[in-house]
Amino acid sequence: MFQLIHQYILSLLIFSPLVFCGLSLALKDLKAIRVLAVLGSFVTFLFSCHLWYYFDESLTGIQFVQHYQWISSFGISYFVGVDGINLLLVMLTTFLTPLVLISLFEKKEESTKNLIRLLLSLECGMLGALLALDLVFFYVFWEAMLIPMYFMIGLWGGKNRIYATTKFIIYTVFGSLFMLVAALLLYLQHYEQFGVYSSSLLDLYRVNFQNINTELLLFSAFALAFAIKVPIWPFHTWLPHAHTEAPTVGSVILAGVLLKMGTYGFVRFAIPLFPNAVELAAPFILGLGVFGIIYGALVAWVQPDAKKMIAYSSVSHLGYVVIGCLSFQNSSLNEEALLGAQYLMINHGISTGALFFLIGVIYERRHTRLFSEFGGLAKNMPWFAVMLIVATLGSVGLPGTGGFVGEFLVLLGSFQAKPIIAIVAALGVLLGALYMLTFCKSILFGPITKEENRSLKDLSFVEFLYITPLSLLVVFMGVCPEFFLKKMRTSVHHLSKTYHHYELLVPDQPFVSAVNKIEKRG
Amino acid sequence: MNWLEMTLCFPLLGAILNGLILRSESKTLAQIVSVTACFLAFFSALFLSYDVLTHHEGLKVYHLASWIEAGSLSVPFSFLIDPLSSLMLLIITGIGSLIHIYAGGYMSHEKTTYRFFAYLNLFVFMMLLLVTGENFLIMFIGWEGVGLCSYLLISYWFEEDKNAKAGMKAFLVNRIGDIGFLFAVFLTFKQFGTLSFLDLKNILLNSHTLTQEMQNSIALICLLMLVAACGKSAQLPLYVWLPDAMAGPTPVSALIHAATMVTAGVYMMTRLSFFYFLAPQIMTVVAVLGCLTAFFAATIALVQNDIKKVLAYSTVSQLGYMVMGCGVGGFGAGVFHLLTHACFKALLFLGAGSVIFAMHHKQDMMEMGGLKKYLPKTHAVFLLGVLAIIGVPGFSGFFSKDEILWKAFNYPVIGPYLWAFGTLTAGCTAFYMLRLYTLTFCGENRSDHHTKKHIEETPVIMWGPLAVLAFLSVFIGFVGVPAVIGDLVGIPNFFEHYLEPVIKMPHAAEENWHFLRDHHSHALEWTLMGTSTSFVLLGALLGFNFYKRGPKGISLILKKKFSRTHKFLTNKYYVDEFYENIFVTPLQEMSQFLWKIFDLIFINGFINGVGRGLMISSALSSWKNSGGLQTYAVFFVLGCLVFLGFFLK
């Protein structure tokens, strides 16, 4: 049994949410569906813990590989695997989903049933996209993720939900289509060079472009798709709308995981597939990233709506991730910066997730998110205040929270590579504190100006249940970053040094090392 | 568990207990927890210092765990105990304990004191991290951590908008300094590949010549760290947050904004003295900046009416002295002043707190007066504090201030000017402190009838700690009696000797600092000492006489005569307004523009425009595929006509 789970762990991980989603169709009662869904997502989380535990951080290659031919004449296969680059994002996904589902526990509406089902299928889509090592397979999941999100915003959203969700879908699909064309061209290029069809990433990494212009063109198509997803300035205007209109759970997933798909795409696909093109385009993208940091922070500062503010702050934060991913130095990537960027992705998922949850908490009570409607909440909601301040500090990057570790490493690394980038980006550290503290102040502090706010209740038990883990994690990630960094280090080092001729090794007998490890421990 | 872990652990434990676990409404419980935590930390620090100073030749490094490891960067949780950090440990936990006790009395009318005490303990913890950290980053945890606690404590009474704003201002202005700190770290790492203080010290102390590039980097690092120090230690031009920080409860002002946190910049420069010695040009900047700050803040303090504001500007001014001391190469003198200042300024703030407490939270000195007879105990200790700060010979402030002025005088070229400004500042200090004292304690009481009826001496929990601080303020100076006096009465300069192992001069820097070893005639030193003392006495006399009849008489005449200067000073040179108009407002307007015009109209408009354009073009093209037979028939006929016309021509 254990052997079986171990062998098929990735498939179990990807499809168990879908299985539970299917099971939930058989149930009629909302309560039963809720329990089943939380249980299901928790099982998925346990699977990912298994992955975490048996993941061998000393190997550079991919582990837990499953590789089956899908359409063999075209060389398309079901190919999944884990390395240090996607492991933490998988963990983030499986960690956030149960919390999101728990947060629906206090919802009484019948329509919540379908929301739950959508969330489960979304989890399947995200995990598939993260774990895929076959370009076609990846593309299928990449697009599949959009569908649940489209309905989530379109059906459970606010006033302008149709506009927001249409914009979201058209924008992302627009980018993805370019990527699809580029992927096809890449696939043909591979055929030209090696005489076989294959859409496996491991094979495509070997493609050499004779013509730098071709490479640049293909890179641009991929980069556009990812840049829209991140979003890198100026492709960000769908995000504030999507966030404001999305229900709390949608925002948490969107900010927590979906945005990282963009930066993950850069690291997994764009950089190793088109190394020369990336090097050429890097100064341009770095410029956009740095500009986005400042721009996002300034615009966030003057937002009247809490969710819009967090949305713009995401533009700012992901700017750090972008500059961390693209800090080239002496024909290698700066390792500290790359590691910091990976770390920042996780931390942003946690702290922004917490912030969206907390805004959801007061939205539930007051049905508004305008700053002018709040103020002085710390008096009646002390625990809410504690949690909000912790999340704020995580977002500000105070030492002792995860945000610091990530931001520090990114800035340190990019300072070694391109000082000017780091110098401008560091302004974001100041502006970040500016808008986050303004946010905190206008919600928590000052006199209570609205009568309705006098009788607000502090966090309920369920709210505690889904917010506390995030708050604890914000601190834990700051104090013990080693716990996470060690899992990523080898893979990040490998990528940063060898992205020019990147190779991901699949161990001949993928399970031997892991099984040995089990025996050693057991 | 070793002494270091215990020292660090107790305050953190106290904070967690009070803030997250107990959250008890009971004031006594909250106070007992936090006072106990602080006292235990004090005793652990005592044992720790004793242990390290006697058994480990005054230096011990503790590696507790690894923290961040990435690429070639490796930052462990490691701590350094040496004479400097043990001194700081004892100041923080010792004076901290006294203030914790006092706070119990001061906050006795508050509802949720657990929050207050939790923050206070957290602050002590962060401050301990700051002073014991063995590398830049551990110090930085403390550096930003104390900033956080300062933010939380300033806005402790968050119901008032003004307090929340003051807290934010403190945090943000400090962040400007923190960015300087971060870049110093980046540059250090780039240049030396390590962030450990001891490693850096070893590298620099043992190198005899430095390349030009290395020297430039060191100068830049020193400059960046100076920016950090300006933020935390409230020097020009970043001092603006400190006076506003007085919005916090008074014990907080005493602990954070007088005795400990604001001196972090001085501590940090001393810790990095081996860097600073190698950058003589930056040292000049440091000295001038400190001197200007000292004078500038003292002039503002001359005319303030809020008792805490006077003390706040006085703190800025005294910090200026310390920074100047560091800048002229007298790091020992700077730290010595840090020590004496911690005692007498804590005393003064707590004393002012007692006055405010007795006056039912009135802070305007114009409404006080004659409190001598209502608060005899507070008055007695406060007077000792005043004598200590203005530097009456024999009191602690005298020795430390004199040491700095003497070191400043010996600085080449600009030394005498530094000394002159320093002495003038000492005169101003005496004037405004006596003004404060006279307006508060002497003459007739000017408060309204209701308040006057209820003025009572504070309970022992409040004046007890004051008595201890008063004792220290008077006598602590004797640990560092300068040689010129010490030789006469037979007291060695204990303090200078104590810090010697910390403040080492790199070989490569020696030629720039030979004047530190030069011998000067005792006559000169006596003359300078006499001059500055007479300035102090003059200032004190004027201050007392101008205000002994309250805000009437000579002071009123002067105020009328120099009304323009007076207005300029009361408005603090309009610095806050300047910053507001030059930085904050334009930034806000730009952000509004970026959002409303650039983001919504320009980018979003463009994208929506593309969408709309596509829709229109598709609507146009869909018109021909409408599915209506008639339309198709019309097209068919038209097509036929065209076709026929073509062929029939």
PDB file of all heavy atoms in Angstrom, chain A residues 163 167 171 236 295 312 336 399 429 446-447 478 489, chain B residues 67 69 72 144 158-159 175 183 595 599 604 607-608:
ATOM      1  N   TYR A 163     -17.987  42.202 -16.064  1.00  0.00           N
ATOM      2  CA  TYR A 163     -16.895  42.960 -16.677  1.00  0.00           C
ATOM      3  C   TYR A 163     -15.553  42.419 -16.211  1.00  0.00           C
ATOM      4  O   TYR A 163     -14.654  42.141 -17.016  1.00  0.00           O
ATOM      5  CB  TYR A 163     -17.039  44.433 -16.294  1.00  0.00           C
ATOM      6  CG  TYR A 163     -15.847  45.298 -16.636  1.00  0.00           C
ATOM      7  CD1 TYR A 163     -15.535  45.587 -17.955  1.00  0.00           C
ATOM      8  CD2 TYR A 163     -15.046  45.833 -15.637  1.00  0.00           C
ATOM      9  CE1 TYR A 163     -14.464  46.383 -18.276  1.00  0.00           C
ATOM     10  CE2 TYR A 163     -13.966  46.635 -15.945  1.00  0.00           C
ATOM     11  CZ  TYR A 163     -13.668  46.906 -17.263  1.00  0.00           C
ATOM     12  OH  TYR A 163     -12.596  47.701 -17.568  1.00  0.00           O
ATOM     13  N   LYS A 167     -12.879  40.387 -18.540  1.00  0.00           N
ATOM     14  CA  LYS A 167     -11.576  40.990 -18.741  1.00  0.00           C
ATOM     15  C   LYS A 167     -10.467  40.021 -18.344  1.00  0.00           C
ATOM     16  O   LYS A 167      -9.491  39.836 -19.067  1.00  0.00           O
ATOM     17  CB  LYS A 167     -11.490  42.244 -17.883  1.00  0.00           C
ATOM     18  CG  LYS A 167     -10.260  43.042 -18.136  1.00  0.00           C
ATOM     19  CD  LYS A 167     -10.438  44.401 -17.547  1.00  0.00           C
ATOM     20  CE  LYS A 167      -9.373  45.310 -18.065  1.00  0.00           C
ATOM     21  NZ  LYS A 167      -9.669  46.700 -17.885  1.00  0.00           N
ATOM     22  N   TYR A 171      -8.026  38.579 -21.218  1.00  0.00           N
ATOM     23  CA  TYR A 171      -6.636  39.009 -21.049  1.00  0.00           C
ATOM     24  C   TYR A 171      -5.699  37.806 -20.977  1.00  0.00           C
ATOM     25  O   TYR A 171      -4.698  37.715 -21.694  1.00  0.00           O
ATOM     26  CB  TYR A 171      -6.529  39.821 -19.759  1.00  0.00           C
ATOM     27  CG  TYR A 171      -5.643  41.028 -19.860  1.00  0.00           C
ATOM     28  CD1 TYR A 171      -6.047  42.247 -19.315  1.00  0.00           C
ATOM     29  CD2 TYR A 171      -4.400  40.965 -20.463  1.00  0.00           C
ATOM     30  CE1 TYR A 171      -5.258  43.368 -19.387  1.00  0.00           C
ATOM     31  CE2 TYR A 171      -3.598  42.079 -20.538  1.00  0.00           C
ATOM     32  CZ  TYR A 171      -4.030  43.275 -19.992  1.00  0.00           C
ATOM     33  OH  TYR A 171      -3.232  44.372 -20.072  1.00  0.00           O
ATOM     34  N   HIS A 236      -1.152  44.838 -15.940  1.00  0.00           N
ATOM     35  CA  HIS A 236      -1.736  44.504 -14.642  1.00  0.00           C
ATOM     36  C   HIS A 236      -3.189  44.924 -14.477  1.00  0.00           C
ATOM     37  O   HIS A 236      -3.788  44.610 -13.468  1.00  0.00           O
ATOM     38  CB  HIS A 236      -0.929  45.218 -13.553  1.00  0.00           C
ATOM     39  CG  HIS A 236      -1.052  46.699 -13.646  1.00  0.00           C
ATOM     40  ND1 HIS A 236      -0.303  47.445 -14.529  1.00  0.00           N
ATOM     41  CD2 HIS A 236      -1.868  47.570 -13.017  1.00  0.00           C
ATOM     42  CE1 HIS A 236      -0.647  48.708 -14.434  1.00  0.00           C
ATOM     43  NE2 HIS A 236      -1.596  48.813 -13.528  1.00  0.00           N
ATOM     44  N   TYR A 295       5.503  51.841  -8.949  1.00  0.00           N
ATOM     45  CA  TYR A 295       4.180  52.223  -9.438  1.00  0.00           C
ATOM     46  C   TYR A 295       3.085  51.553  -8.611  1.00  0.00           C
ATOM     47  O   TYR A 295       2.160  52.208  -8.123  1.00  0.00           O
ATOM     48  CB  TYR A 295       4.094  51.794 -10.901  1.00  0.00           C
ATOM     49  CG  TYR A 295       2.827  52.156 -11.619  1.00  0.00           C
ATOM     50  CD1 TYR A 295       2.739  53.332 -12.328  1.00  0.00           C
ATOM     51  CD2 TYR A 295       1.724  51.304 -11.598  1.00  0.00           C
ATOM     52  CE1 TYR A 295       1.588  53.656 -13.009  1.00  0.00           C
ATOM     53  CE2 TYR A 295       0.570  51.622 -12.271  1.00  0.00           C
ATOM     54  CZ  TYR A 295       0.499  52.798 -12.976  1.00  0.00           C
ATOM     55  OH  TYR A 295      -0.640  53.120 -13.640  1.00  0.00           O
ATOM     56  N   TYR A 312      -3.006  46.128  -5.920  1.00  0.00           N
ATOM     57  CA  TYR A 312      -1.865  46.898  -6.413  1.00  0.00           C
ATOM     58  C   TYR A 312      -0.590  46.545  -5.652  1.00  0.00           C
ATOM     59  O   TYR A 312       0.506  46.579  -6.203  1.00  0.00           O
ATOM     60  CB  TYR A 312      -2.148  48.401  -6.340  1.00  0.00           C
ATOM     61  CG  TYR A 312      -2.966  48.892  -7.504  1.00  0.00           C
ATOM     62  CD1 TYR A 312      -4.304  49.215  -7.354  1.00  0.00           C
ATOM     63  CD2 TYR A 312      -2.399  49.007  -8.767  1.00  0.00           C
ATOM     64  CE1 TYR A 312      -5.064  49.652  -8.435  1.00  0.00           C
ATOM     65  CE2 TYR A 312      -3.139  49.433  -9.845  1.00  0.00           C
ATOM     66  CZ  TYR A 312      -4.478  49.764  -9.679  1.00  0.00           C
ATOM     67  OH  TYR A 312      -5.208  50.183 -10.741  1.00  0.00           O
ATOM     68  N   GLU A 336      21.497  34.028  -4.885  1.00  0.00           N
ATOM     69  CA  GLU A 336      20.768  34.564  -3.727  1.00  0.00           C
ATOM     70  C   GLU A 336      19.449  35.175  -4.174  1.00  0.00           C
ATOM     71  O   GLU A 336      18.411  34.974  -3.549  1.00  0.00           O
ATOM     72  CB  GLU A 336      21.594  35.631  -2.999  1.00  0.00           C
ATOM     73  CG  GLU A 336      22.804  35.105  -2.256  1.00  0.00           C
ATOM     74  CD  GLU A 336      24.059  35.231  -3.090  1.00  0.00           C
ATOM     75  OE1 GLU A 336      24.013  35.896  -4.139  1.00  0.00           O
ATOM     76  OE2 GLU A 336      25.092  34.647  -2.698  1.00  0.00           O
ATOM     77  N   PRO A 399      12.029  42.274   9.543  1.00  0.00           N
ATOM     78  CA  PRO A 399      12.862  41.128   9.910  1.00  0.00           C
ATOM     79  C   PRO A 399      12.152  40.278  10.962  1.00  0.00           C
ATOM     80  O   PRO A 399      11.575  40.815  11.898  1.00  0.00           O
ATOM     81  CB  PRO A 399      14.110  41.769  10.506  1.00  0.00           C
ATOM     82  CG  PRO A 399      14.149  43.132   9.948  1.00  0.00           C
ATOM     83  CD  PRO A 399      12.746  43.538   9.705  1.00  0.00           C
ATOM     84  N   VAL A 429      10.706  49.393  -0.482  1.00  0.00           N
ATOM     85  CA  VAL A 429      10.700  48.998   0.929  1.00  0.00           C
ATOM     86  C   VAL A 429      10.065  50.109   1.772  1.00  0.00           C
ATOM     87  O   VAL A 429       9.272  49.865   2.678  1.00  0.00           O
ATOM     88  CB  VAL A 429      12.136  48.718   1.411  1.00  0.00           C
ATOM     89  CG1 VAL A 429      12.169  48.456   2.899  1.00  0.00           C
ATOM     90  CG2 VAL A 429      12.718  47.543   0.654  1.00  0.00           C
ATOM     91  N   GLY A 446      -7.371  55.128  15.186  1.00  0.00           N
ATOM     92  CA  GLY A 446      -8.179  56.338  15.090  1.00  0.00           C
ATOM     93  C   GLY A 446      -9.499  56.153  15.827  1.00  0.00           C
ATOM     94  O   GLY A 446      -9.794  55.075  16.350  1.00  0.00           O
ATOM     95  N   PRO A 447     -10.293  57.198  15.883  1.00  0.00           N
ATOM     96  CA  PRO A 447     -11.577  57.097  16.569  1.00  0.00           C
ATOM     97  C   PRO A 447     -12.566  56.286  15.740  1.00  0.00           C
ATOM     98  O   PRO A 447     -12.433  56.181  14.528  1.00  0.00           O
ATOM     99  CB  PRO A 447     -12.018  58.561  16.672  1.00  0.00           C
ATOM    100  CG  PRO A 447     -11.312  59.254  15.574  1.00  0.00           C
ATOM    101  CD  PRO A 447     -10.032  58.534  15.337  1.00  0.00           C
ATOM    102  N   GLY A 478       9.901  33.586   8.817  1.00  0.00           N
ATOM    103  CA  GLY A 478      10.930  34.581   9.063  1.00  0.00           C
ATOM    104  C   GLY A 478      12.009  34.096  10.006  1.00  0.00           C
ATOM    105  O   GLY A 478      13.162  34.497   9.917  1.00  0.00           O
ATOM    106  N   ARG A 489      17.306  24.696  -2.328  1.00  0.00           N
ATOM    107  CA  ARG A 489      18.649  25.183  -2.621  1.00  0.00           C
ATOM    108  C   ARG A 489      19.309  24.486  -3.811  1.00  0.00           C
ATOM    109  O   ARG A 489      19.786  25.139  -4.728  1.00  0.00           O
ATOM    110  CB  ARG A 489      19.517  25.039  -1.368  1.00  0.00           C
ATOM    111  CG  ARG A 489      20.867  25.701  -1.525  1.00  0.00           C
ATOM    112  CD  ARG A 489      21.576  25.827  -0.209  1.00  0.00           C
ATOM    113  NE  ARG A 489      20.875  26.714   0.698  1.00  0.00           N
ATOM    114  CZ  ARG A 489      20.484  26.386   1.911  1.00  0.00           C
ATOM    115  NH1 ARG A 489      20.708  25.186   2.377  1.00  0.00           N
ATOM    116  NH2 ARG A 489      19.864  27.254   2.674  1.00  0.00           N
TER     117      ARG A 489
ATOM    118  N   TRP B  67      20.436  30.768  10.350  1.00  0.00           N
ATOM    119  CA  TRP B  67      19.215  31.508  10.026  1.00  0.00           C
ATOM    120  C   TRP B  67      18.992  31.497   8.520  1.00  0.00           C
ATOM    121  O   TRP B  67      18.159  30.765   8.013  1.00  0.00           O
ATOM    122  CB  TRP B  67      19.302  32.932  10.602  1.00  0.00           C
ATOM    123  CG  TRP B  67      18.067  33.749  10.382  1.00  0.00           C
ATOM    124  CD1 TRP B  67      16.785  33.273  10.323  1.00  0.00           C
ATOM    125  CD2 TRP B  67      17.978  35.163  10.210  1.00  0.00           C
ATOM    126  NE1 TRP B  67      15.902  34.314  10.118  1.00  0.00           N
ATOM    127  CE2 TRP B  67      16.596  35.475  10.040  1.00  0.00           C
ATOM    128  CE3 TRP B  67      18.920  36.190  10.173  1.00  0.00           C
ATOM    129  CZ2 TRP B  67      16.157  36.782   9.846  1.00  0.00           C
ATOM    130  CZ3 TRP B  67      18.468  37.492   9.988  1.00  0.00           C
ATOM    131  CH2 TRP B  67      17.105  37.788   9.830  1.00  0.00           C
ATOM    132  N   GLU B  69      20.669  30.878   4.814  1.00  0.00           N
ATOM    133  CA  GLU B  69      21.809  30.446   4.009  1.00  0.00           C
ATOM    134  C   GLU B  69      21.370  30.389   2.570  1.00  0.00           C
ATOM    135  O   GLU B  69      20.425  29.703   2.225  1.00  0.00           O
ATOM    136  CB  GLU B  69      22.295  29.080   4.481  1.00  0.00           C
ATOM    137  CG  GLU B  69      22.725  29.145   5.913  1.00  0.00           C
ATOM    138  CD  GLU B  69      23.740  28.110   6.305  1.00  0.00           C
ATOM    139  OE1 GLU B  69      24.233  27.394   5.418  1.00  0.00           O
ATOM    140  OE2 GLU B  69      24.030  28.036   7.492  1.00  0.00           O
ATOM    141  N   SER B  72      26.368  32.167  -1.445  1.00  0.00           N
ATOM    142  CA  SER B  72      27.566  32.311  -0.614  1.00  0.00           C
ATOM    143  C   SER B  72      27.261  33.076   0.677  1.00  0.00           C
ATOM    144  O   SER B  72      28.147  33.349   1.466  1.00  0.00           O
ATOM    145  CB  SER B  72      28.647  33.051  -1.408  1.00  0.00           C
ATOM    146  OG  SER B  72      28.113  34.217  -1.969  1.00  0.00           O
ATOM    147  N   GLU B 144      15.048  46.995  13.335  1.00  0.00           N
ATOM    148  CA  GLU B 144      13.677  47.212  12.864  1.00  0.00           C
ATOM    149  C   GLU B 144      12.672  46.794  13.931  1.00  0.00           C
ATOM    150  O   GLU B 144      11.585  47.361  14.007  1.00  0.00           O
ATOM    151  CB  GLU B 144      13.424  46.418  11.578  1.00  0.00           C
ATOM    152  CG  GLU B 144      14.102  47.029  10.372  1.00  0.00           C
ATOM    153  CD  GLU B 144      13.138  47.313   9.239  1.00  0.00           C
ATOM    154  OE1 GLU B 144      12.544  46.360   8.726  1.00  0.00           O
ATOM    155  OE2 GLU B 144      12.952  48.483   8.887  1.00  0.00           O
ATOM    156  N   PHE B 158      -4.566  54.413  20.526  1.00  0.00           N
ATOM    157  CA  PHE B 158      -4.807  54.552  19.090  1.00  0.00           C
ATOM    158  C   PHE B 158      -6.125  55.244  18.767  1.00  0.00           C
ATOM    159  O   PHE B 158      -6.362  55.589  17.626  1.00  0.00           O
ATOM    160  CB  PHE B 158      -4.772  53.179  18.425  1.00  0.00           C
ATOM    161  CG  PHE B 158      -5.755  52.206  18.996  1.00  0.00           C
ATOM    162  CD1 PHE B 158      -7.085  52.265  18.630  1.00  0.00           C
ATOM    163  CD2 PHE B 158      -5.356  51.233  19.900  1.00  0.00           C
ATOM    164  CE1 PHE B 158      -7.993  51.365  19.163  1.00  0.00           C
ATOM    165  CE2 PHE B 158      -6.254  50.340  20.440  1.00  0.00           C
ATOM    166  CZ  PHE B 158      -7.576  50.408  20.073  1.00  0.00           C
ATOM    167  N   GLU B 159      -6.979  55.411  19.792  1.00  0.00           N
ATOM    168  CA  GLU B 159      -8.261  56.042  19.479  1.00  0.00           C
ATOM    169  C   GLU B 159      -8.070  57.472  18.994  1.00  0.00           C
ATOM    170  O   GLU B 159      -8.943  58.025  18.352  1.00  0.00           O
ATOM    171  CB  GLU B 159      -9.195  56.050  20.695  1.00  0.00           C
ATOM    172  CG  GLU B 159      -9.809  54.701  21.013  1.00  0.00           C
ATOM    173  CD  GLU B 159      -9.065  54.013  22.131  1.00  0.00           C
ATOM    174  OE1 GLU B 159      -7.867  54.337  22.332  1.00  0.00           O
ATOM    175  OE2 GLU B 159      -9.667  53.165  22.811  1.00  0.00           O
ATOM    176  N   ARG B 175      12.361  54.009   8.618  1.00  0.00           N
ATOM    177  CA  ARG B 175      12.575  53.142   7.450  1.00  0.00           C
ATOM    178  C   ARG B 175      13.540  53.762   6.453  1.00  0.00           C
ATOM    179  O   ARG B 175      14.265  53.059   5.763  1.00  0.00           O
ATOM    180  CB  ARG B 175      11.249  52.838   6.768  1.00  0.00           C
ATOM    181  CG  ARG B 175      10.642  51.541   7.249  1.00  0.00           C
ATOM    182  CD  ARG B 175      10.757  50.482   6.182  1.00  0.00           C
ATOM    183  NE  ARG B 175      10.820  49.179   6.797  1.00  0.00           N
ATOM    184  CZ  ARG B 175      10.409  48.063   6.186  1.00  0.00           C
ATOM    185  NH1 ARG B 175       9.896  48.109   5.000  1.00  0.00           N
ATOM    186  NH2 ARG B 175      10.549  46.890   6.780  1.00  0.00           N
ATOM    187  N   PHE B 183      21.576  48.915   2.529  1.00  0.00           N
ATOM    188  CA  PHE B 183      22.583  49.045   1.477  1.00  0.00           C
ATOM    189  C   PHE B 183      23.993  48.929   2.024  1.00  0.00           C
ATOM    190  O   PHE B 183      24.886  48.420   1.336  1.00  0.00           O
ATOM    191  CB  PHE B 183      22.370  50.323   0.680  1.00  0.00           C
ATOM    192  CG  PHE B 183      21.343  50.129  -0.375  1.00  0.00           C
ATOM    193  CD1 PHE B 183      20.052  50.569  -0.202  1.00  0.00           C
ATOM    194  CD2 PHE B 183      21.646  49.428  -1.519  1.00  0.00           C
ATOM    195  CE1 PHE B 183      19.085  50.342  -1.160  1.00  0.00           C
ATOM    196  CE2 PHE B 183      20.697  49.191  -2.488  1.00  0.00           C
ATOM    197  CZ  PHE B 183      19.407  49.656  -2.303  1.00  0.00           C
ATOM    198  N   TRP B 595      -2.753  56.750 -10.604  1.00  0.00           N
ATOM    199  CA  TRP B 595      -3.899  55.858 -10.520  1.00  0.00           C
ATOM    200  C   TRP B 595      -5.028  56.317 -11.433  1.00  0.00           C
ATOM    201  O   TRP B 595      -5.469  55.588 -12.313  1.00  0.00           O
ATOM    202  CB  TRP B 595      -4.387  55.771  -9.065  1.00  0.00           C
ATOM    203  CG  TRP B 595      -5.635  54.974  -8.928  1.00  0.00           C
ATOM    204  CD1 TRP B 595      -5.924  53.786  -9.539  1.00  0.00           C
ATOM    205  CD2 TRP B 595      -6.778  55.301  -8.147  1.00  0.00           C
ATOM    206  NE1 TRP B 595      -7.165  53.361  -9.183  1.00  0.00           N
ATOM    207  CE2 TRP B 595      -7.720  54.261  -8.330  1.00  0.00           C
ATOM    208  CE3 TRP B 595      -7.089  56.361  -7.303  1.00  0.00           C
ATOM    209  CZ2 TRP B 595      -8.955  54.267  -7.697  1.00  0.00           C
ATOM    210  CZ3 TRP B 595      -8.328  56.359  -6.664  1.00  0.00           C
ATOM    211  CH2 TRP B 595      -9.250  55.320  -6.856  1.00  0.00           C
ATOM    212  N   ASP B 599      -3.318  54.938 -14.881  1.00  0.00           N
ATOM    213  CA  ASP B 599      -3.743  53.548 -14.800  1.00  0.00           C
ATOM    214  C   ASP B 599      -5.136  53.365 -15.390  1.00  0.00           C
ATOM    215  O   ASP B 599      -5.346  52.538 -16.260  1.00  0.00           O
ATOM    216  CB  ASP B 599      -3.745  53.111 -13.336  1.00  0.00           C
ATOM    217  CG  ASP B 599      -3.429  51.647 -13.204  1.00  0.00           C
ATOM    218  OD1 ASP B 599      -2.281  51.291 -13.480  1.00  0.00           O
ATOM    219  OD2 ASP B 599      -4.325  50.876 -12.848  1.00  0.00           O
ATOM    220  N   ASN B 604      -5.681  51.242 -18.937  1.00  0.00           N
ATOM    221  CA  ASN B 604      -6.924  50.495 -18.980  1.00  0.00           C
ATOM    222  C   ASN B 604      -7.756  50.934 -20.173  1.00  0.00           C
ATOM    223  O   ASN B 604      -8.382  50.115 -20.850  1.00  0.00           O
ATOM    224  CB  ASN B 604      -7.681  50.725 -17.675  1.00  0.00           C
ATOM    225  CG  ASN B 604      -8.572  49.568 -17.351  1.00  0.00           C
ATOM    226  OD1 ASN B 604      -8.327  48.459 -17.791  1.00  0.00           O
ATOM    227  ND2 ASN B 604      -9.621  49.839 -16.610  1.00  0.00           N
ATOM    228  N   ILE B 607      -6.481  49.302 -23.258  1.00  0.00           N
ATOM    229  CA  ILE B 607      -6.822  47.891 -23.387  1.00  0.00           C
ATOM    230  C   ILE B 607      -8.303  47.701 -23.681  1.00  0.00           C
ATOM    231  O   ILE B 607      -8.690  46.928 -24.569  1.00  0.00           O
ATOM    232  CB  ILE B 607      -6.378  47.139 -22.126  1.00  0.00           C
ATOM    233  CG1 ILE B 607      -4.874  46.925 -22.239  1.00  0.00           C
ATOM    234  CG2 ILE B 607      -7.088  45.825 -21.979  1.00  0.00           C
ATOM    235  CD1 ILE B 607      -4.195  46.804 -20.954  1.00  0.00           C
ATOM    236  N   ASN B 608      -9.125  48.455 -22.968  1.00  0.00           N
ATOM    237  CA  ASN B 608     -10.550  48.381 -23.259  1.00  0.00           C
ATOM    238  C   ASN B 608     -10.831  48.871 -24.667  1.00  0.00           C
ATOM    239  O   ASN B 608     -11.721  48.360 -25.345  1.00  0.00           O
ATOM    240  CB  ASN B 608     -11.344  49.219 -22.256  1.00  0.00           C
ATOM    241  CG  ASN B 608     -11.419  48.525 -20.913  1.00  0.00           C
ATOM    242  OD1 ASN B 608     -10.981  47.391 -20.784  1.00  0.00           O
ATOM    243  ND2 ASN B 608     -11.951  49.207 -19.925  1.00  0.00           N
TER     244      ASN B 608
END
